[in-house]
Amino acid sequence: MTTKHSTLHQQIRNLAKTKKAIILAHNYQPAQIQDVADLCGDSLEMSIKAAATDADIIVCCGVRFMAETAAILCPDKIVLMPNPAAGCPMAAMVTPEALLKRKGDLGGIPVITYVNSSAAVKAVSDICCTSANVIKVVNALKEDEVLMAPDRNLALYAAANTDKKVHLWEGYCPFHNDLSVEAVKASKSAHPQALFVAHPECRPEVLELADSIQSTSGMIQFAGESSADQFIIGTEIGLLHALSKAHPAKTFFPVSDQLICPDMKKTRLQDIWNCLKNMSGRVLVEEAVRIKAMDAVKKMINIK
Ligand code: 13P
Ligand code: SF4
């Protein structure tokens, strides 16, 4: 860490303490953001930790849907986004109007919405899911047919691992979806001892090559429990920092140096300082939308 970064890091920690703020960071955030956070996690853990905190302020370092989920679950807290411009392109691939129309066309079957979606889309969904709990959520519904949005790859993964008929929405993560079979095979040849771990946002033909399919925090846990000591990581490169911190004796290779989410890299230490100091970047969700969205998110969290 540079001197400038270490001073700012300490100033942020002090300010967070004075203001009774908790800093949450997603596992893809830049290393210095992960390091200054109170808690890092995948989307499910971020939701659970936001819901459980007794802090007055939640600083949510990630992309907008993550901060919105915190605001949905914590109406009595102030949720701040250090860089309000950080969005998720996949979340922009579905609107509430289009989702309701499709649900109607399919006879009103339940809609399972990936948390990578806007609050307005969550509000018209029956239940949410994350990459960590998608199979559990699909199995928890009594209906045999469901519509899943917006990630078609996650829906295909759910369909392959449950007995349900899962209708797809044609959305995708531009970065995970771009990972090719050729890139995975090249990485496997370069690191023949390593296990390949993939995120379910990757295409089915990529997932077929995986030794394990996991959410981002699932990958950290899998690497700890596995007897292997080398892993090819099939997700955004920010996770490499979290993996190396959790398991310093193990070696992690990015599957591709192209798997970078630019929006996840938009948060800087200075943004955290500014938002806490000025109470800027507040994320608010309209109350009527929030109540409906909270129902879908809480139904997911309550599935054991
Ligand atoms: P996780 O919930 O597995 O951390 O994934 C979030 C995400 O945006 C993946 O691209
Ligand atoms: Fe969205 Fe993909 Fe970035 Fe995850 S990695 S936040 S799905 S664009």
Side-chain angles (χ1 to χ4, degrees):
M1 211 189 281
T2 63
T3 317
K4 184 177 156 227
H5 274 165
S6 89
T7 310
L8 194 49
H9 175 113
Q10 203 42 57
Q11 286 170 335
I12 290 169
R13 290 306 326 156
N14 296 344
L15 188 56
K17 195 169 173 200
T18 314
K19 294 213 168 188
K20 274 201 83 196
I22 188 172
I23 303 174
L24 301 181
H26 185 262
N27 291 325
Y28 293 158
Q29 285 289 287
Q32 64 272 28
I33 305 296
Q34 293 189 31
D35 292 347
V36 85
D38 294 280
L39 298 162
C40 295
D42 64 12
S43 309
L44 181 62
E45 290 171 326
M46 287 180 81
S47 311
I48 291 171
K49 284 164 184 170
T53 185
D54 59 3
D56 296 335
I57 300 168
I58 301 171
V59 179
C60 196
C61 305
V63 293
R64 178 159 293 272
F65 77 80
M66 295 172 175
E68 271 189 359
T69 305
I72 287 165
L73 289 169
C74 311
D76 53 338
K77 310 225 181 284
I78 295 174
V79 178
L80 304 178
M81 223 186 139
N83 186 338
C88 167
M90 185 206 292
M93 293 179 187
V94 57
T95 63
E97 296 76 19
L99 191 56
L100 281 176
K101 160 94 175 58
R102 183 84 191 287
K103 178 175 170 137
D105 291 347
L106 289 168
I109 59 172
V111 175
I112 304 176
T113 296
Y114 194 25
V115 283
N116 296 38
S117 54
S118 67
V121 165
K122 288 182 177 75
V124 297
S125 306
D126 293 275
I127 188 166
C128 288
C129 74
T130 73
S131 61
N133 61 16
V134 56
I135 293 170
K136 256 192 202 171
V137 169
V138 172
N139 281 331
L141 297 186
K142 60 180 190 318
E143 291 84 353
D144 293 329
E145 252 182 84
V146 297
L147 168 61
M148 188 174 284
D151 187 4
R152 77 184 308 275
N153 291 334
L154 189 76
L156 286 167
Y157 168 68
N161 288 281
T162 65
D163 293 330
K164 310 259 173 166
K165 178 161 178 53
V166 183
H167 294 269
L168 310 182
W169 189 269
E170 290 301 328
Y172 55 89
C173 165
F175 314 105
H176 286 85
N177 193 62
D178 257 9
L179 178 62
S180 66
V181 164
E182 293 69 33
V184 176
K185 286 188 173 162
S187 190
K188 283 184 162 214
S189 306
H191 312 293
Q193 307 301 322
L195 295 184
F196 173 52
V197 194
H199 196 277
E201 288 176 13
C202 297
R203 281 188 271 134
E205 56 271 32
V206 164
L207 296 184
E208 263 175 40
L209 301 174
D211 295 292
S212 183
I213 299 166
Q214 299 285 348
S215 75
T216 57
S217 289
M219 290 186 193
I220 300 173
Q221 194 181 337
F222 175 80
E225 288 167 1
S226 168
S227 57
D229 57 10
Q230 293 187 18
F231 302 86
I232 299 165
I233 301 304
T235 196
E236 212 272 351
I237 57 159
L239 188 66
L240 276 278
H241 179 69
L243 282 162
S244 306
K245 243 173 119 172
H247 310 300
K250 300 203 174 193
T251 308
F252 303 98
F253 305 104
V255 68
S256 151
D257 55 11
Q258 306 294 306
L259 228 165
I260 302 173
C261 173
D263 281 83
M264 279 286 179
K265 306 304 177 211
K266 282 182 177 165
T267 321
R268 297 169 310 133
L269 275 182
Q270 188 66 49
D271 298 327
I272 301 183
W273 168 262
N274 293 348
C275 86
L276 260 177
K277 186 86 187 146
N278 308 322
M279 299 301 283
S280 55
R282 184 159 186 191
V283 176
L284 292 165
V285 177
E286 191 202 322
E287 189 59 6
V289 170
R290 190 192 70 76
I291 289 177
K292 288 192 198 152
M294 182 174 69
D295 193 41
V297 176
K298 280 204 170 161
K299 268 192 207 149
M300 166 188 84
I301 292 178
N302 290 337
I303 289 177
K304 296 292 169 229

